[in-house]
Amino acid sequence: KEAIDLGIVIATDGEDEDAVEDAISGAFGIAKDAVQAAIAQQQVNVLDLGKALSENFNKACRDIGMDPKVVNQLAQEMGFAPGTYGLISASEYQAKIYQDNDDINGGHGWVVTRAADGEKVSHYANHAFINNGHLIYMYHPNYVNGFWVTDCPAY
């Protein structure tokens, strides 16, 4: 439910039951037995869920112009075990985070920006990783396209 509400896609290290449970547990920092109990209580077909998670992750990567293999590589460089993180990106990120808080910046939600030391803001975030229940932003100068937007509003 939280993943759906926030528009989070979860990266799995396969589509089988164990991979799906590990992915949900790792992304949200929930004990694996609690994930298993929730899946059983909701009577979810885990194989169908695994396939949907994989398709949704690949689509989210395409939406930001990133190869899923590159996104997985970047996640591993940040220390996330394979298939244990989530990603909120592009239009979902814009709708659920950037535009969803009327109290901040006159209706602009939570804005994460990037500027070199002493320079004007040059990029604002268009993504976030989710690992162990934490929202994590990655900035890599070779991968700003898609992950970071360059047409910054005036600040």
Side-chain angles (χ1 to χ4, degrees):
K1 183 179 184 317
E2 294 299 329
I4 292 167
D5 288 348
L6 288 174
I8 297 168
V9 293
I10 299 172
T12 61
D13 196 24
E15 296 178 6
D16 60 87
E17 186 172 349
D18 197 45
V20 169
E21 292 166 353
D22 285 344
I24 295 169
S25 176
F28 294 106
I30 301 169
K32 191 170 176 179
D33 59 346
V35 173
Q36 292 167 335
I39 288 172
Q41 181 181 18
Q42 297 296 318
Q43 299 179 347
V44 174
N45 181 316
V46 180
L47 296 180
D48 288 344
L49 177 59
K51 184 176 179 185
L53 291 177
S54 180
E55 289 171 0
N56 290 342
F57 179 75
N58 290 332
K59 181 186 179 311
C61 290
R62 282 193 308 272
D63 287 348
I64 57 173
M66 298 290 291
D67 184 322
K69 291 177 185 175
V70 173
V71 174
N72 280 319
Q73 177 186 344
L74 293 169
Q76 287 181 26
E77 287 177 17
M78 289 188 289
F80 308 156
T84 62
Y85 68 92
L87 179 69
I88 179 169
S89 63
S91 61
E92 289 290 337
Y93 180 89
Q94 290 293 314
K96 307 286 184 171
I97 295 178
Y98 178 70
Q99 298 171 359
D100 195 33
N101 187 332
D102 293 336
D103 298 326
I104 305 295
N105 295 330
H108 280 292
W110 298 98
V111 182
V112 177
T113 60
R114 188 264 179 195
D117 190 28
E119 292 184 13
K120 185 177 168 183
V121 168
S122 60
H123 295 82
Y124 68 90
N126 197 36
H127 82 294
F129 286 92
I130 293 87
N131 181 257
N132 201 26
H134 299 279
L135 200 63
I136 300 168
Y137 292 89
M138 179 276 311
Y139 184 86
H140 190 298
N142 294 335
Y143 298 104
V144 294
N145 185 32
F147 278 142
W148 295 80
V149 179
T150 56
D151 58 341
C152 293
Y155 287 96

